[in-house]
Amino acid sequence: MTVVLVDDAADPRLADYVRLREVSLRRLLEEEHGLFIAEGDKVIRRAADAGFEPRSFLLAPRWLDSLQDVIAHWPDKPVYVVSEELAEQVTGFHVHRGALASYKRRAPVPLTDLLTPDVRRIAIFDEIVDHTNVGAGFRAAAALGVDLVLVTPTCADPLYRRSIKVSMGTVFQVPWTRLQSWPGDLRHLQDNGYVAAAMALTDDSITLDELSGRKDEKLVLIFGTEGHGLKPNVLNQADLTVQIPMSGGVDSLNVASSAAVAFYATRP
């Protein structure tokens, strides 16, 4: 491994890890340089297992031994060893696991390449702006039988550090891509035999139990942004609107919780 001891927070070699909590800055930096950050040993391993190529590692000394097999697979990639105090200075927060890695992003996969015959359940996350909700949605999708996740052009980045961390790295496990035309791409899915079910509280919504009872062979579940939900143009194009019956005076669930319930109820 190429171990480099670093004791200066301003060292330019650590540029990938600067100010990780500043979303606007990170969006520009990560898109410009085609990278994403994995935080924690488990997430670093899952990214490596999924075949992503690292740019570098930023580790506290205690992680050198336990991550040695991952690091050894990429002997030409630098391993920056820093104190946990220095890591906090660079990143802007306490990296309690003391392990970070910068990985190269892959080129987006076209939707048409992902619609293989075995894709029966698709989730669409539309304009969800909270990275925690995106990560939790991916984790539920991985756990509950969703074959493909699609995010709309204005949805938060599934490869933002917080999304990856909350997903526990399952964002590397579930096939996904960002749609280029929305809701235009929904018509393409319908033309390929998918029933589009929009999760929304409308007067004509059927219940989730009713949707589950239909046993649609190919199903798309669409989830809207926090607070306002799905826009009228999406609802108008969907085949069905669906709601989860509530009690106790509660009108709706958090979007990630709704997704988990819907995924479980409609699993093949």
Side-chain angles (χ1 to χ4, degrees):
M1 66 182 75
T2 308
V3 175
V4 181
L5 300 177
V6 180
D7 59 7
D8 181 1
D11 192 313
R13 293 174 295 184
L14 305 185
D16 283 4
Y17 305 96
V18 169
R19 293 154 65 184
L20 293 183
R21 296 189 71 176
E22 298 186 24
V23 178
S24 297
L25 170 71
R26 294 303 307 184
R27 184 184 301 117
L28 291 174
L29 189 153
E30 294 183 13
E31 289 178 357
E32 179 181 351
H33 295 284
L35 64 93
F36 67 86
I37 299 297
E39 179 185 354
D41 59 317
K42 291 181 180 179
V43 175
I44 289 172
R45 284 187 177 280
R46 286 198 170 180
D49 290 344
F52 285 92
E53 180 183 351
R55 289 162 57 97
S56 65
F57 300 88
L58 182 72
L59 306 177
R62 63 191 174 99
W63 290 109
L64 284 174
D65 288 340
S66 61
L67 284 171
Q68 185 175 13
D69 58 320
V70 176
I71 296 167
H73 188 70
W74 301 97
D76 60 328
K77 305 299 181 181
V79 181
Y80 300 120
V81 178
V82 300
S83 68
E84 298 197 23
E85 293 76 17
L86 185 66
E88 183 172 351
Q89 291 178 46
V90 172
T91 63
F93 71 103
H94 177 59
V95 187
H96 72 281
R97 294 186 181 275
L100 296 165
S102 173
Y103 281 94
K104 295 182 180 180
R105 291 185 182 234
R106 293 171 178 162
V109 180
L111 174 60
T112 52
D113 291 353
L114 293 171
L115 291 182
T116 58
D118 58 339
V119 173
R120 298 172 59 192
R121 292 292 181 270
I122 299 175
I124 298 179
F125 297 143
D126 181 18
E127 292 192 2
I128 297 177
V129 298
D130 186 288
H131 290 96
T132 297
N133 283 333
V134 171
F138 266 87
R139 189 172 182 181
L144 298 170
V146 174
D147 303 306
L148 174 63
V149 175
L150 305 173
V151 298
T152 62
T154 52
C155 185
D157 183 10
L159 290 182
Y160 179 65
R161 175 187 58 86
R162 182 65 179 166
S163 299
I164 296 172
K165 183 178 180 181
V166 172
S167 82
M168 288 299 294
T170 55
V171 68
F172 310 131
Q173 177 180 332
V174 183
W176 70 274
T177 196
R178 188 175 293 277
L179 298 173
Q180 300 303 305
S181 174
W182 181 252
D185 285 325
L186 186 55
R187 175 59 60 195
H188 178 71
L189 294 171
Q190 291 166 316
D191 289 345
N192 277 272
Y194 291 91
V195 173
M199 303 299 295
L201 300 174
T202 62
D203 292 338
D204 61 347
S205 294
I206 66 172
T207 68
L208 182 58
D209 287 336
E210 290 175 299
L211 176 65
S212 177
R214 289 167 49 98
K215 299 189 182 301
D216 293 298
E217 181 68 20
K218 299 168 75 174
L219 180 65
V220 177
L221 294 167
I222 312 167
F223 303 90
T225 187
E226 301 87 347
H228 299 295
L230 296 167
K231 291 180 177 178
N233 62 337
V234 177
L235 295 176
N236 290 338
Q237 190 160 324
D239 299 301
L240 304 164
T241 55
V242 181
Q243 62 177 290
I244 301 171
M246 298 283 147
S247 61
V250 178
D251 62 353
S252 63
L253 297 174
N254 164 276
V255 64
S257 299
S258 295
V261 172
F263 296 159
Y264 181 80
T266 59
R267 67 197 188 282

